Amino acid sequence: MCEIVLMSDPRVTAVSISECGETLSDLRRHEGLLVDPRKRSESDTYFYLRQGLADRLEEAEALLPSGMRFLIVEGYRSLALQRRYFDEYASRLRTENPDWDEQLVRSATSRFVSPPEVAPHCMGAAVDLTLADDDGNEFDLGTMMNATPEESTGACYTHAPNISNQARELRSILGKALNAVELVNYPTE
Ligand SMILES: C[C@@H](N)C(=O)N[C@H](C)C(=O)O
């Protein structure tokens, strides 16, 4: 099993990035991609992604077995929303684990939410998605969509042992399609 590098790891912060100038693309205009509206009360930009990523998602979706589609839940996120997600979850962990120091709170938080200063969602370069049938009904990949490690007793980790064989198979189908277009998933989410 590969080492998991969390988004709070200094090795992530050390990666230098520069703006590539790619436009943000409205996923609702991409024929074939299903966009779920559950985030609409928090954001009016969740359906945007960088053009190159949107194109690659279309390519990856074509590799799925028939009757299976991506269900896009959240793409672009403002810095303020990212900060809110991070602070809310960190605050919950702090309350539930009063003995943790701030460094531990930060790394544990980053299992589920990226620190705002490195968050790829804020660049339109990351997407939360799952698998669904042609009518948009989600398949069971072993947890509720967006479950935290605590809510899912760790089953949100990609290679968690406490999921059914069917969920494992679906995760593998999803992973293979994404890897084929050089996209990777965050292994703790
Ligand atoms: C909050 C969760 N859905 C998510 O998007 N987490 C990743 C790690 C992120 O915030 O970049």
Side-chain angles (χ1 to χ4, degrees):
M1 192 80 59
C2 292
E3 177 199 8
I4 293 178
V5 178
L6 293 175
M7 290 299 283
S8 58
D9 192 297
R11 285 172 284 178
V12 175
T13 321
V15 175
S16 69
I17 58 165
S18 57
E19 173 57 51
C20 65
E22 237 179 53
T23 53
L24 289 169
S25 178
D26 184 338
L27 296 180
R28 299 168 304 173
R29 300 211 177 126
H30 282 250
E31 208 171 308
L33 292 178
L34 292 171
V35 182
D36 185 290
R38 77 187 71 175
K39 287 286 176 187
R40 101 186 123 192
S41 59
E42 326 210 40
S43 158
D44 52 9
T45 54
Y46 66 89
F47 41 78
Y48 284 108
L49 277 184
R50 293 289 180 143
Q51 184 70 50
L53 175 52
D55 292 343
R56 275 199 266 172
L57 281 183
E58 279 191 345
E59 275 178 56
E61 191 176 59
L63 303 173
L64 294 175
S66 90
M68 238 178 234
R69 312 267 297 271
F70 290 145
L71 185 68
I72 312 291
V73 173
E74 193 174 11
Y76 176 79
R77 206 178 274 158
S78 70
L79 196 52
L81 186 56
Q82 184 75 29
R83 195 165 282 132
R84 200 191 92 202
Y85 286 170
F86 190 84
D87 289 349
E88 282 176 358
Y89 183 45
S91 159
R92 200 175 347 146
L93 290 177
R94 228 176 257 121
T95 305
E96 289 167 7
N97 304 281
D99 53 323
W100 285 7
D101 64 23
E102 274 309 301
Q103 202 181 337
L104 185 51
V105 170
R106 181 177 156 82
S107 67
T109 303
S110 78
R111 294 168 304 162
F112 178 62
V113 193
S114 294
E117 63 276 15
V118 294
H121 277 276
C122 299
M123 295 156 215
V127 60
D128 291 344
L129 52 70
T130 189
L131 292 174
D133 66 18
D134 289 328
D135 297 322
N137 302 304
E138 280 178 48
F139 288 107
D140 179 3
L141 271 71
T143 68
M144 296 278 287
M145 174 82 197
N146 264 335
T148 65
E150 291 72 31
E151 286 160 350
S152 67
T153 53
C156 61
Y157 279 49
T158 308
H159 298 293
N162 51 338
I163 58 169
S164 68
N165 286 338
Q166 201 182 0
R168 194 167 295 113
E169 174 61 19
L170 288 166
R171 288 182 185 196
S172 165
I173 290 171
L174 177 58
K176 279 184 188 148
L178 295 173
N179 292 168
V181 297
E182 298 184 345
L183 297 176
V184 290
N185 75 296
Y186 191 42
T188 55
E189 199 201 355

